[in-house]
Each structure stands twice: as structure tokens, then as C-alpha cells.
Amino acid sequence: MSNVLRHIDLLRNYDSLSDADRAALRAELSEMNLLTPDHANAKTAKNMGRGFASYILHLAPANVSGVNMCPAASMGCKAACLNTAGRGRFKAIQDSRIRKTLYYLKVKDLFLSQLFKEISKLRVKAAKAGLQAVVRLNGTSDVPWEYIKHADQSPFEAFPDVQFYDYTKVFSRLARLKALALPNYHVTFSRSESNESLALQALMLGFNVAAVFNRIPTEYQGHAVVNGDEHDLRFLDKGDGVIVALKAKGDAKRDASGFVIQLPSVESEAA
């Protein structure tokens, strides 16, 4: 059995472990890297050319780990999830994300301590390279990080010079985020086949809304559109209350749930 699978098994049974076994597991887990650097992701690899060093935390989405990490995920969202895109299609990557998720859930104090240490190091590394450090904590999850604190501080409070950004489908987070007005945390609401009305409300609140299309439109239902495939740096999107259009990829190309907005072909519109 690999160390990753052994760790998963131990974490699933963490509450029943002896103190000695817990201490040994914690020591091994603390050697992990939690954040994925930008060069490991085709889309975020482009960010360095724009002056940013990007890092992403990939947890196991929805119920993949046995615990729902995406409470507002729709059926269409789950079917088209980018969790299995790119390197994510490999079992080793999936197992690694499950281990990170269980680590977060079962040994949260150590997980957060390690996460904060990694962010502290990467911001220094980025600065030395003349880059701005940016972190996406919900690469494949939807955790309300504004509520998660280590040493009485959220990641955004602890690292005011780091730019954080995420997507969310949890509409109830938006009012809280608007009230907090965190200057270094940008959140884009994600539209699905089951939350169209909430997406419209998010636009009215001034949040940008990401939506998946069969092709990138120039506008949608009277709203300005930005091409979200050009880069992953959502905090650079111009305007408030705009549509961030993403083109369907992978399994999403075969979507029939309504998760992917099907626009008529350019030729049909011109006819």
C-alpha cells in the first residue's frame, strides 16, 4: 500500500488511533505540499507572464472524499467538474486530493498551520522573482475560507499582500463577503443549470458570474461578457456584474443538463 493510501486509511480512522499513532501520522502529513504551483496547471502557467505567481489548493470536490466539499454543486456541475481535467485524470492525483481533504477535516489545526507556512514562503519567493503572489484556495472545492481562522486570522487577514481569488456556488457567502469587503479576496459566483435566478441576483449585487457556454459570446442577456479562458486571474476582470464566459471542455462538451449554455452557431445568428 502506498503512503498516500495508508494516510487516507489512517485519516478515515483518526478518531480511533492511539496518541502515538496520531503523532506519527501528523509528523508524516506535515511533510506534504498542500499548494500546487502554477507551472503544474496549463491555464495558471500563463499567469507568470502577467506578473503573477499562482498557487492552488486542490481538495477533493463534492462527495469524492466521502464528505461534501461543494455544498451547492448541481448534478451538471458534478458531471462537468474540472477535477478530472489534465493531470486530475490520474488516480494518484485523485488520491492525493482525497488525502488533503481528509487532512483538512481530521487534523485541521496542523493543516492550517502548514497552509499558512506555505503561503508565507511563497509570497517571499514570488517577491524575490519580482512577481505578485496569488492563491486560489478553492481550486476544486467550495469552502467558506472567510470563516476559517488560524491564530485568530483568516488567510486574507494574515496575508494582506497576497491576492486571493475563488469561485463559489454558495449564494449565502456573497452577502457576508460584501459586508467584510476584503480587499485581497475576489470571489466570482458560478452559474449552473439549477441556480440561474441566484446568478442574476449575484450580478445585481455587483459580483461577476462565471458561466459555461458552447462558444464564447460577446454579450449575454444584456450583460457584458469577458472571456474567462484567456487567463485564470478573475480579480483582473474589468467591471462589476459581468459574465465571465468559459468554453465547455472535456465532459462538459456532452452536457445535456443545462449546465452548459447552448448558444446558436454564429452562422445561425447571422442567417
Side-chain angles (χ1 to χ4, degrees):
M1 179 185 292
S2 71
N3 268 342
V4 175
L5 293 179
R6 183 172 61 82
H7 288 163
I8 290 173
D9 183 60
L10 289 170
L11 285 165
R12 290 195 191 281
N13 296 284
Y14 187 78
D15 294 340
S16 62
L17 296 181
S18 67
D19 289 344
D21 286 342
R22 286 188 186 186
L25 176 59
R26 289 171 67 97
E28 291 182 21
L29 292 173
S30 66
E31 298 298 317
M32 288 171 50
N33 288 320
L34 299 176
L35 296 168
T36 302
D38 49 17
H39 60 74
N41 181 295
K43 192 171 182 180
T44 56
K46 304 174 186 177
N47 296 346
M48 190 173 291
R50 294 174 178 266
F52 299 94
S54 305
Y55 297 81
I56 302 179
L57 176 62
H58 286 290
L59 301 181
N63 293 301
V64 171
S65 69
V67 178
N68 190 358
M69 302 302 289
C70 303
S74 66
M75 293 305 293
C77 174
K78 292 176 185 178
C81 184
L82 293 177
N83 177 50
T84 55
R87 295 171 65 246
R89 68 185 183 276
F90 298 115
K91 184 179 183 302
I93 298 298
Q94 292 299 308
D95 289 340
S96 175
R97 292 176 183 177
I98 291 172
R99 175 174 63 168
K100 286 181 187 178
T101 304
L102 295 175
Y103 182 13
Y104 167 77
L105 293 168
K106 295 289 189 176
V107 200
K108 188 173 289 185
D109 61 325
L110 183 61
F111 181 99
L112 293 175
S113 175
Q114 184 175 339
L115 177 64
F116 277 49
K117 286 177 183 177
E118 285 191 32
I119 296 173
S120 182
K121 289 178 181 178
L122 69 86
R123 59 193 275 274
V124 173
K125 181 179 179 181
K128 286 182 178 179
L131 301 171
Q132 166 68 50
V134 298
V135 176
R136 183 175 165 192
L137 294 173
N138 281 323
T140 40
S141 57
D142 202 343
V143 175
W145 287 98
E146 61 273 16
Y147 289 104
I148 309 301
K149 303 210 172 192
H150 172 65
D152 293 324
Q153 287 188 306
S154 71
F156 324 117
E157 295 166 325
F159 304 102
D161 56 342
V162 174
Q163 176 65 56
F164 295 86
Y165 69 107
D166 275 323
Y167 297 84
T168 186
K169 283 188 174 67
V170 181
F171 183 79
S172 60
R173 292 183 65 195
L174 302 188
R176 164 76 171 172
L177 289 168
K178 201 166 185 68
L180 288 172
L182 296 163
N184 61 333
Y185 188 37
H186 185 280
V187 173
T188 299
F189 189 73
S190 291
R191 177 258 177 212
S192 75
E193 78 281 6
S194 62
N195 71 357
E196 184 85 23
S197 64
L198 295 178
L200 293 174
Q201 291 181 56
L203 288 168
M204 289 188 288
L205 285 171
F207 286 88
N208 292 345
V209 171
V212 183
F213 295 83
N214 60 324
R215 65 174 177 83
I216 304 294
T218 54
E219 64 88 31
Y220 182 66
Q221 294 186 353
H223 297 283
V225 170
V226 297
N227 187 340
D229 285 336
E230 291 183 350
H231 60 77
D232 189 54
L233 302 167
R234 297 278 68 86
F235 54 90
L236 295 182
D237 293 334
K238 294 181 179 179
D240 295 321
V242 303
I243 299 290
V244 180
L246 304 165
K247 190 173 181 180
K249 304 170 187 67
D251 291 342
K253 292 180 179 178
R254 297 183 291 277
D255 174 75
S257 70
F259 176 77
V260 176
I261 299 172
Q262 300 294 334
L263 300 174
S265 66
V266 176
E267 293 77 9
S268 297
E269 287 186 340

